[in-house]
Amino acid sequence: MTDLETRLEDRLLAALPADADYASARHVVERGSRLEVRNGVVEPSSTGHDEGVMFSVWIDGGAGYAATSDLSDEGLARAVEQASAWAAATTGRSLIDSTPLLHSVGEYVSPVSDPFDQLSLADQVALLIEADSALGGHGRIVDRSASLVRYDIRSLLLTNRGGRVAQEIRQVFPELRATANEGSNTQNRTYGAGNYAGQGGVEVLTRHGFRDAAAGIGEEAVALLEAPNCPTGTMDLILAPDQMALQIHESIGHPLELDRILGDERNYAGTSFVTQDMFGSYQYGSDLLNVTFDPSVPGQMASYAFDDDGTPAERTHLIKGGILQTPLGGTISQARTGMAGVANSRASSWNRPPIDRMANLNVEPGESTLDELIRGVEYGVLMETNVSWSIDDSRNKFQFGAELGRVIENGQISHVVRNPNYRGISATFWRNLSGVADDFTVMAVGNCGKGEPNQVIRVGHASPHCRFSGVEVFGGEE
Amino acid sequence: MKSETARDYLDELVEWASARLSGNEVLLAHLSGEDSDFVRFNHARVRQAGTVSQRTISLDLIDGRKHAEGSVSLTGVVDLDRHRVAELMSGLREQRAVLPEDPYLLYSTSAESSERLVEGQAPISADAIDAVAEGAGDSDLVGIYAAGQSFRGFANSLGQRNWFAAGSFNLDWSLHLQADKATKNAYAGLEWDPAEMAAKLAWSRRELDALGRTPHTLPPGGYRAYLSPAALREIMDMLAWGGFSLRSHRTKQTPLLRMITEGAELDPSVSISEDIAGGVAPDFQAAGFRRPDSVSLIDRGRFAGHLVSPRSAQEYGVDTNGADDGEYPTAIAMAPGDLPTDDILSELGTGLYVGNLWYLNFSDRSACRTTGMTRFGTFWVEDGEIVAPIDVLRFDDTAFHLLGDRLVGLTDTAETILDSSTYVERSTESLRLPGALVEEMTFTL
């Protein structure tokens, strides 16, 4: 480590303008690695070291930021100067004219029981070669891959009134994919659509059985080639957790983001059918629906102690007994509305400013077993693993697709179907929630896009199997 | 750091690193950087404003057929950056020792250097804030102003140097009347003209008048529809998602699968190319290969060619045409047709004028069946006159219908769209598209 790096915290503190109404330096170092084996060939390994700092300055009702990868004293001074200039330029033109931001002190480190560094590169290659091979046991598998992606993220938030939040987060993304083809019919099967990811070390691989999953994935991809198209009609629908993750994300998470409700995203990600007056009374779902913002789940993707504005994070019910309770709004959105919220002001990295995001957003488990949910279906489909997602800009009219469906007849699973899709309207879909299982699978979505400038962020979702009644279900082209 | 300074910095850093190679090692380096201003607006006031300055160097350290790749942020401090590059190279050597030979490794050995400068003059960003606020008047404007310099550079230990720099601005906004009723527009380019920006904002305000009428709620069904260039762009983005990638074709994952398995065709009026010469993207890729001025992808409705990355070239035994690993187009262009653009409402007659589509995805990828939503500036038209805005509708249809057997025609002018995407960094991609008139488009929700 060079002298510049050793003294970085002191230099960041020295650069902060003491007389600003609020000023912060948010330094982020993200080290990543990717390893993939595709069709028996080890793809080029890659590593990444992304590092920089964002200064935010609030003065006289104006606010600005400047982010730079130039960590020299001159670079830091230039960034503070730029952020201050933006604050001056926006005074009197800003949507928000005072800062509610805190000067918090604390830290967080991802719990790791089996550090990934103990798995050598050679061991990782061997693991992926074995998994890739197991994916391709059938002649109709035309493409396959097994991969491991890791991120170690260190962030340090310093403020001009003594705030200091240090967090270290370790994330692991294991993935498997098998592609089967016959003529004009191509089918993909994956390891939970990449959603079986989380914080931790090697133990992330064992949570969902990565080492043993490959053969089954390959077999199911081939089975889908032979399967009939998903039936069309209005019927009961059971969603597996790896489809629920997407359903929660798109039709609960995004609509409850307070910055969308306030209109910030109307030019890009969209608005929301939810309005401020609905909180506390609106029947979002049936009384079986309980949704939490929970940054305390060990090993879940977006567990943390503070958001990127330095707001302490705690478990909060967003929907309780089906009634809408609390929006996904960070400290700034809370100040803009006078509403309670959560610590969800997050940035994708040092080069983007925090905005309201999802973190860990979970549907709490119910009391039925999965067998009981299935037995309660006269005719319907169980869908597994998201493959397609589309929803309107108010987060209401949606259409989602899954990799694999299982038709349920007279309370029993009868056969596999391909290209299962369903469509609905968020405002009524969740009210048709007719069963919640007692299982609880902790997952992630690694590609949530939002914001101007654009940001991709990694979020956590956990869910049981859930059953919905009266859903419009259909298949693909014949 | 100015573009020229960044270019010199890359040269010097790669020369320094090349002097530290051992044996037969070859070093490939790719620099990506920008100095950008971003101003975000809501209710015609500033929501967030700031500057981002970033540089990242990516290295591929090769010895024979073994190699490893890595990237690191650059600080601009020579000693620290040399330390980081040396540390990265050391780590890559350690990894390379463990990894097997790569049968698909291919990199440029032509030492063909190049330069592409797309220089412009953006306004001082604080002035842009004033101009936007003044132009919006009392309208409810939401959007993003992004401006500044982007650069990409390639350098290797064989002496090849390629440089791309672009100075541009992109003001992307919507004006909102109520709830989801809004118009969408953009002013993007190289030379900022306050009068042109004001005219575009004034046009957006006039469009709002039509949105004030009571919206039509249309039942699901098939409707004659005109897709504006912005709406057609969303369809093209879906085709670009594996549609032209050689790897996607060979692994049967392309949404255009039926073109290769069943000989399916689009309408003969549809010709699509990767038009690097007409776009604003770099004319080289990360492994140092140059991109040709144009690659024909669809020719008069028939599949014509692939985008081929160096890895795919090696894997499938064909020549690369300078595509990056993802094999996505960066400057896609569709040839215009013969429908008079100025009379498009008359050509539509009665049906839907679709200003924008939103959030598309495949409902059956193998069949290129796609779903998505209508969004900004979408109207019901009767006898060539705009009647009312519509409440959003979901479509679910295939490109083989929309650009195939149900395509009435394409407009006689094509619009250039500079991509406003800013994920990780400001995009250098663009599209040039006409509008499309469709006999029937299927709406489902």
Side-chain angles (χ1 to χ4, degrees):
Chain A
M1 186 176 280
T2 66
D3 186 48
L4 272 179
E5 291 172 308
T6 308
R7 296 184 295 107
L8 182 62
E9 182 168 346
D10 290 341
R11 296 193 298 115
L12 292 173
L13 282 171
L16 282 175
D19 55 348
D21 298 332
Y22 173 90
S24 67
R26 185 168 52 82
H27 175 249
V28 180
V29 185
E30 177 173 297
R31 293 180 183 273
S33 66
R34 176 178 178 78
L35 194 59
E36 178 180 9
V37 174
R38 175 175 167 260
N39 299 332
V41 172
V42 179
E43 296 282 295
S45 70
S46 64
T47 58
H49 169 187
D50 183 38
E51 180 172 358
V53 61
M54 172 173 283
F55 287 96
S56 298
V57 176
W58 295 64
I59 304 171
D60 296 335
Y65 65 83
T68 182
S69 58
D70 181 351
L71 300 181
S72 66
D73 287 340
E74 297 75 15
L76 301 185
R78 190 181 311 115
V80 170
E81 190 179 314
Q82 289 170 329
S84 300
W86 280 116
T90 57
T91 297
R93 299 176 174 85
S94 180
L95 197 62
I96 306 155
D97 60 8
S98 64
T99 170
L101 296 174
L102 307 173
H103 301 271
S104 300
V105 176
E107 58 187 33
Y108 171 85
V109 178
S110 290
V112 175
S113 58
D114 194 359
F116 220 102
D117 292 341
Q118 292 179 9
L119 195 63
S120 71
L121 180 60
D123 289 341
Q124 292 177 49
V125 170
L127 172 69
L128 293 180
I129 286 175
E130 183 180 340
D132 171 73
S133 174
L135 286 165
H138 195 285
R140 285 188 286 181
I141 298 290
V142 294
D143 198 41
R144 60 182 206 261
S145 86
S147 63
L148 283 173
V149 176
R150 296 171 52 205
Y151 299 103
D152 290 353
I153 306 155
R154 281 191 293 119
S155 64
L156 176 66
L157 178 68
L158 303 169
T159 73
N160 63 339
R161 303 279 190 277
R164 185 186 190 279
V165 172
Q167 305 197 91
E168 292 185 27
I169 291 174
R170 295 185 172 82
Q171 301 167 335
V172 179
F173 289 78
E175 290 194 36
L176 299 167
R177 176 182 51 79
T179 302
N181 169 265
E182 187 167 286
S184 297
N185 182 13
T186 297
Q187 297 292 326
N188 274 298
R189 195 75 176 108
T190 66
Y191 181 61
N195 291 344
Y196 292 152
Q199 289 185 20
V202 178
E203 70 269 20
V204 175
L205 303 183
T206 60
R207 284 179 196 152
H208 304 285
F210 179 79
R211 292 173 191 273
D212 302 319
I217 287 170
E219 288 165 9
E220 286 184 344
V222 174
L224 283 167
L225 290 179
E226 306 286 348
N229 223 335
C230 182
T232 296
T234 301
M235 61 189 76
D236 282 354
L237 172 67
I238 295 178
L239 299 182
D242 58 0
Q243 179 65 24
M244 278 296 294
L246 187 282
Q247 184 71 51
I248 296 165
H249 185 92
E250 301 288 4
S251 74
I252 293 180
H254 281 306
L256 299 197
E257 289 165 344
L258 196 44
D259 62 341
R260 294 178 71 112
I261 295 169
L262 286 165
D264 291 356
E265 290 284 338
R266 288 177 294 166
N267 187 56
Y268 180 58
T271 179
S272 176
F273 72 93
V274 173
T275 54
Q276 290 181 53
D277 59 316
M278 290 179 176
F279 289 91
S281 60
Y282 181 72
Q283 185 81 42
Y284 203 97
S286 76
D287 58 7
L288 296 173
L289 182 63
N290 292 287
V291 180
T292 55
F293 171 88
D294 192 351
S296 65
V297 178
Q300 195 164 8
M301 181 58 67
S303 292
Y304 52 73
F306 298 87
D307 69 11
D308 289 325
D309 276 340
T311 304
E314 60 181 19
R315 184 175 191 265
T316 305
H317 265 91
L318 306 184
I319 297 171
K320 196 167 191 176
I323 304 296
L324 189 58
Q325 305 286 335
T326 311
L328 284 166
T331 295
I332 288 177
S333 292
Q334 292 169 40
R336 291 167 70 184
T337 58
M339 300 176 71
V342 296
N344 69 319
S345 192
R346 306 179 65 200
S348 57
S349 190
W350 58 270
N351 59 4
R352 293 290 182 264
I355 55 176
D356 288 342
R357 301 307 299 249
M358 283 172 252
N360 291 337
L361 185 65
N362 303 334
V363 167
E364 297 295 313
E367 296 177 350
S368 305
T369 65
L370 174 58
D371 281 347
E372 287 169 343
L373 293 190
I374 293 170
R375 281 202 298 271
V377 175
E378 186 179 331
Y379 186 76
V381 179
L382 188 160
M383 296 190 191
E384 299 176 13
T385 320
N386 180 254
V387 73
S388 178
W389 58 99
S390 173
I391 190 165
D392 73 29
D393 62 304
S394 299
R395 296 284 153 171
N396 217 355
K397 290 182 176 180
F398 65 78
Q399 179 175 315
F400 301 142
E403 290 178 0
L404 180 146
R406 300 182 196 276
V407 169
I408 303 168
E409 294 175 293
N410 300 317
Q412 290 193 319
I413 289 176
S414 63
H415 61 279
V416 170
V417 290
R418 64 181 158 88
N419 298 328
N421 289 274
Y422 61 103
R423 59 173 78 99
I425 296 174
S426 298
T428 53
F429 181 78
W430 293 99
R431 294 178 191 171
N432 290 337
L433 177 66
S434 63
V436 179
D438 57 2
D439 51 359
F440 190 66
T441 305
V442 176
M443 299 159 295
V445 168
N447 60 344
C448 177
K450 185 185 169 185
E452 293 182 303
N454 307 145
Q455 306 191 41
V456 166
I457 208 160
R458 304 162 198 141
V459 307
H461 295 303
S463 179
H465 285 79
C466 287
R467 186 181 65 208
F468 301 86
S469 58
V471 180
E472 195 178 342
V473 169
F474 58 98
E477 294 286 290
E478 293 294 344
Chain B
M1 193 186 286
K2 300 284 186 196
S3 164
E4 283 305 304
T5 313
R7 180 181 191 166
D8 293 343
Y9 198 78
L10 173 65
D11 283 354
E12 288 165 15
L13 197 55
V14 171
E15 275 183 30
W16 179 87
S18 297
R20 281 148 186 81
L21 297 177
S22 58
N24 294 319
E25 278 187 332
V26 173
L27 178 69
L28 314 184
H30 184 265
L31 177 76
S32 184
E34 66 177 326
D35 294 304
S36 296
D37 289 343
F38 298 109
V39 184
R40 188 176 198 197
F41 297 92
N42 184 9
H43 300 304
R45 296 181 72 78
V46 177
R47 170 64 184 91
Q48 287 170 318
T51 296
V52 175
S53 298
Q54 55 184 345
R55 289 104 180 83
T56 302
I57 191 167
S58 301
L59 305 181
D60 191 352
L61 192 54
I62 301 163
D63 188 0
R65 300 212 65 79
K66 298 181 82 171
H67 67 130
E69 301 173 356
S71 65
V72 65
S73 300
L74 295 181
T75 66
V77 182
V78 173
D79 289 346
L80 182 51
D81 287 342
R82 286 180 175 179
H83 175 77
R84 284 186 177 182
V85 166
E87 201 173 51
L88 175 57
M89 290 171 66
S90 173
L92 295 179
R93 286 190 179 104
E94 287 177 17
Q95 291 171 41
R96 198 178 60 197
V98 176
L99 298 170
E101 292 192 342
D102 181 359
Y104 306 143
L105 171 64
L106 183 67
Y107 57 93
S108 170
T109 54
S110 68
E112 185 186 358
S113 296
S114 67
E115 172 185 89
R116 186 178 199 192
L117 304 177
V118 187
E119 297 291 3
Q121 187 60 53
I124 296 170
S125 293
D127 294 343
I129 295 176
D130 290 338
V132 170
E134 188 177 322
D138 57 1
S139 303
D140 182 4
L141 180 144
V142 190
I144 180 84
Y145 168 80
Q149 180 119 131
S150 301
F151 40 87
R152 310 281 188 272
F154 175 83
N156 65 17
S157 57
L158 306 175
Q160 181 177 337
R161 299 289 185 269
N162 305 88
W163 188 252
F164 165 85
S168 64
F169 63 88
N170 198 325
L171 176 64
D172 182 284
W173 75 85
S174 47
L175 294 188
H176 292 254
L177 192 67
Q178 56 183 352
D180 61 356
K181 298 296 176 292
T183 66
K184 173 90 171 171
N185 212 330
Y187 176 43
L190 307 178
E191 298 289 336
W192 176 269
D193 179 349
E196 189 175 349
M197 193 214 69
K200 285 203 168 223
L201 271 170
W203 173 255
S204 288
R205 287 202 306 272
R206 284 197 294 277
E207 284 184 317
L208 278 182
D209 294 341
L211 285 173
R213 302 171 196 170
T214 303
H216 275 206
T217 299
L218 296 172
Y223 295 98
R224 187 176 172 89
Y226 169 70
L227 302 175
S228 73
L232 186 58
R233 178 250 174 97
E234 300 295 326
I235 304 281
M236 294 305 297
D237 281 350
M238 294 304 293
L239 296 186
W241 184 8
F244 310 115
S245 153
L246 177 66
R247 187 183 308 117
S248 288
H249 277 244
R250 295 297 171 89
T251 60
K252 315 298 184 190
Q253 296 174 78
T254 173
L256 300 180
L257 184 62
R258 292 187 176 191
M259 293 185 100
I260 55 174
T261 57
E262 300 174 11
E265 296 181 7
L266 301 177
D267 186 84
S269 67
V270 175
S271 290
I272 300 170
S273 63
E274 166 77 327
D275 181 23
I276 292 295
V280 291
D283 57 0
F284 57 90
Q285 55 87 259
F289 287 96
R290 298 290 305 281
R291 293 174 168 145
D293 284 351
S294 181
V295 177
S296 177
L297 304 172
I298 302 283
D299 183 23
R300 286 166 287 183
R302 295 183 176 183
F303 196 84
H306 303 95
L307 296 173
V308 186
S309 69
R311 286 193 73 73
S312 286
Q314 197 74 351
E315 180 172 0
Y316 301 112
V318 299
D319 291 335
T320 179
N321 51 25
D324 276 319
D325 277 349
E327 298 179 334
Y328 275 82
T330 59
I332 202 162
M334 180 187 282
D338 53 13
L339 292 178
T341 304
D342 293 341
D343 296 331
I344 199 62
L345 287 179
S346 300
E347 296 287 341
L348 173 60
T350 296
L352 278 169
Y353 178 99
V354 182
N356 288 85
L357 292 172
W358 166 246
Y359 220 129
L360 277 60
N361 211 321
F362 292 113
S363 40
D364 184 347
R365 185 183 180 89
S366 295
C368 201
R369 184 171 138 191
T370 306
T371 187
M373 298 300 303
T374 63
R375 198 173 175 184
F376 303 105
T378 298
F379 300 95
W380 179 247
V381 174
E382 290 182 3
D383 299 326
E385 298 288 334
I386 288 177
V387 174
I390 64 158
D391 287 327
V392 293
L393 276 175
R394 170 171 294 287
F395 80 92
D396 194 345
D397 214 329
T398 80
F400 294 115
H401 288 320
L402 300 178
L403 295 175
D405 58 359
R406 295 186 197 152
L407 181 69
V408 176
L410 302 169
T411 58
D412 58 4
T413 58
E415 185 176 308
T416 297
I417 300 170
L418 296 181
D419 185 20
S420 62
S421 171
T422 49
Y423 285 108
V424 183
E425 59 190 359
R426 290 172 58 215
S427 172
T428 58
E429 297 179 6
S430 63
L431 306 93
R432 198 172 70 250
L433 302 172
L437 184 60
V438 181
E439 185 182 330
E440 183 178 285
M441 186 169 181
T442 303
F443 293 88
T444 55
L445 187 63

